[in-house]
Amino acid sequence: MINFLNFQFDVEQGLLSQEQQFVSLNHTQIQLLTLLISEPARVFSKEEILAAVWQHKVVSEQVIFQNISQLRALLGESAIRTFPKKGYQWNIPLEDIGNVHSITEPESASIELTSARPATNKIEVKLSNATSLSGEHKSASYKKRSYNSFIYAGVILCISFFFIIYISASSAFNSKHFAYSQFDSVFLPLTLQSNKKLAQETEQLNQLLSSEFNIPSNKLERVNEGQFFNSPYMTYHTLQKDNTALLFSGTLYKNYNEATKLSQPYMFELLIQGYERQWVSYLYAQDMTELSGKVIEQMRILSNSRYFIQQQSANVSAELVLLNGQFPLNLSVLQKLAERFIDEDKFDAADGYIEQLLTLSTERQHALYYAYGKWLKGALFAAKGKQALALALYEQANTLFSDTLLYGLQSEVNKSLADLAHDNRDYDKVKAYLYAAASLARLARKPVQEIQAYTLLSIKAGKFGFEKASYDHLYQAKTLLAEYELDGSHYMLPFYHFALFASTTEEKQHFFHKVLRMPVTPDNEWVFFSAVEALSKLYLRENNFRSAKTVIDQVKKPALKAYLDAQYYQANGDVSLAILSAQDAFNVSRTQHTLWLSLNSALLLLELANTTHNIEVSEYRVFIESNANLSWLQRRQARLAQVGIAVPAL
């Protein structure tokens, strides 16, 4: 047992504790810590660290820096010293206190979502002479520690005093949190509205989680778990004004999967909302004690990730890759990575994560994530244009979700099936799938998903030319919004489509302005931008430049605003400013990996080049030819023909 500061490290078992509380480390961090303290006077080179910790795995030197940074975040910046071009050295005095007391790993640490445990081979740790406690040095060291103890105690009392004042002053998020977590984790208790058959279990789970986490008590009467699931982003920002916490709740279900319902009779849908985005995990458990442990461990993992506050797309992906490196057995991380890389058209990486998800979920008999993997595999084939394979996998996923009676996920799969039917120009199947999606969402008590199904049905009907049906379905979605009493952020998409249906310019402007008055969330931000673009174009056609600029200035993101400014200057006849703004939009959006905006900006620059010779266009032409998918090209076929880019036939 090694002691440093107020930490104890059990070398044999690879367990770290701080003041009798277990500190979560992954396998790599444990090995790195063990290596550094084995010879604290030695400067370990990067090559030595790679060989000892990662052995024969092919990794970059960047992983050393990342793991060193993570250990410093846990232990303090001064714990590990960097020697430029030489390596790293342990920098805190160590004390060998022997196996004075046993630090046992809590039950929650051995659950499904933890990283793999290290081998428990005993490692000899060599202590430098400076840390030896033999002979006269032992007595002197004891006196020094006794003196320091008084200092530490005084400091701790002062910190405790100010901490108590801070906690008392905190009104919305007075939260307990894990040691060294970047974010507090705040629990919104489950209600019995959708869990009446599981009332006793729900109450027990609430008690277990409330004992571990605090709740936003002074505003609790304003929200409940149902409202949180309908509008997690709006609920979060009602309770929390900065990015220092994660708010979470969930829904408890019976497990109806035949293979596992006896051993794991409960399934929990865990929803976590952070400042920028959310996370959903699905956990199986034998009882509420085991389930609460799994929830606690998942929150422990995610409360140390910056996934929830990153704004740039590339950084979000990087955070997920980092999480996967730390917790390779976490099924929900694999699911998130696969979804993200499909959206980014990184199909090889997405396929690898899907295969891992399918393999691990099979090994663990996790029926839900196995079905999810099939659904994602179908989405991957659909993105590649392999519709027959996508259809087969979607149907498999639909059947698997049906067997588990998870109607909410089954509803989403039916929306995917409707997209395939739309690509095949089969409107009858589109209607059938989306009606099924709406019905399943109602069974699942997922009103937002139900409304989305009718909104999609309206959009699809409009694309097939059925204007009356399109309007009827949209009006039905609007009626349900009022029936379920959802907040204004959900009205944005219906109002946007009412504007598209409007027959007069005045009516269109009226509905677009209604869109711009609704709350903006990550889910509807694209609607807000589309409404700004459409409304500004209406004003520009009327030569109402002042109103157009007023609308454009509501957009705060630099790349988006630069793109709209380019259109404004183009309509105003100022080609030079239009080019400068379009180039800003192109360059910024590329650095942020916002492909659709980069492509649109490149096309606008090619069009502007037709009016002037003061622009080099080869870069933008190559960018479009290298990055645009067939769907994007076909939707802009006429514009591309004007700038000399041919679109391949279907």
Side-chain angles (χ1 to χ4, degrees), residues 19 152-168:
E19 297 177 346
Y152 294 152
V155 172
I156 290 169
L157 283 173
C158 291
I159 293 173
S160 300
F161 175 73
F162 286 109
F163 182 73
I164 291 169
I165 292 175
Y166 170 78
I167 289 296
S168 300

Side-chain angles (χ1 to χ4, degrees), residues 411-427:
S411 171
E412 294 302 299
V413 175
N414 273 270
K415 291 175 187 175
S416 299
L417 286 163
D419 287 337
L420 281 184
H422 179 266
D423 292 341
N424 291 324
R425 308 298 299 169
D426 191 335
Y427 180 62

